[in-house]
């Protein structure tokens, strides 16, 4: 596959993954029954696998290393935070207010990750907060 195809696949997987997380989080908070369905539990893993594989392919195609590209390292660290917050948000048995706060924090985090990807700045949109 060529670079543009892989990049488009990656961006599409990002959109599907974040949209799915948004919907599942909202479903959890509203007590929707579909949250427990098999497809709601397995489809995100398929989408996230495509997302990860396309990210690795892009990094390889561009010969990028997190040690040489600070913005890429920032994205990876942000991804780990997003995953932790997402697990907290979607895990049953936690207080609903904690899950809601984790869900919102995860959405803010993924927005920041996208801003890092677009700007190639490790601070993403946070870089603009320091300038007056």
């Amino acid at each position: 596959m060529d670079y543009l195809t892989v990049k488009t696949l990656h961006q599409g997987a990002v959109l599907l993954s974040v949209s799915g997380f948004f919907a599942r989080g909202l479903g959890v908070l509203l007590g929707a029954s579909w949250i427990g369905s098999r497809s709601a539990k397995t489809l995100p893993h398929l989408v996230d696998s495509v997302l990860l594989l396309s990210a690795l392919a892009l990094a390889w195609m561009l010969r990028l290393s997190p040690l040489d590209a600070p913005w890429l390292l920032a994205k990876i660290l942000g991804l780990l935070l997003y995953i932790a917050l997402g697990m907290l948000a979607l895990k049953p048995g936690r207080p609903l207010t904690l899950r809601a706060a984790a869900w919102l924090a995860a959405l803010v985090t993924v927005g920041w990750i996208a801003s890092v990807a677009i700007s190639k700045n490790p601070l993403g949109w946070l870089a603009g907060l320091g300038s007056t």
Side-chain angles (χ1 to χ4, degrees):
M1 274 194 246
D2 69 331
Y3 172 79
L4 186 58
T5 301
V6 176
K7 182 178 178 183
T8 302
L9 179 65
H10 181 71
Q11 291 171 332
V14 168
L15 183 62
L16 284 173
S17 180
V18 174
S19 298
F21 175 72
F22 180 86
R24 285 181 295 139
L26 196 58
V28 162
L29 297 176
L30 298 175
S33 60
W34 62 266
I35 292 298
S37 71
R38 183 176 179 158
S39 60
K41 291 181 178 184
T42 56
L43 191 56
H45 296 296
L46 177 64
V47 171
D48 290 343
S49 294
V50 170
L51 181 56
L52 176 62
L53 289 172
S54 62
L56 292 172
L58 286 171
W60 180 77
M61 292 169 104
L62 296 173
R63 296 183 177 22
L64 287 175
S65 164
L67 300 176
D68 298 327
W71 65 270
L72 182 57
L73 179 59
K75 276 184 61 174
I76 292 168
L77 294 174
L79 177 63
L80 295 174
L81 178 61
Y82 172 66
I83 291 169
L85 289 167
M87 287 172 52
L88 185 58
L90 299 177
K91 186 171 180 136
R94 304 276 186 197
L96 196 58
T97 54
L98 176 64
R99 294 171 80 184
W103 179 64
L104 289 173
L107 291 171
V108 169
T109 301
V110 80
W112 173 78
I113 293 168
S115 77
V116 170
I118 292 166
S119 69
K120 304 295 188 268
N121 182 327
L123 295 177
W125 54 260
L126 293 174
L129 295 179
S131 61
T132 53

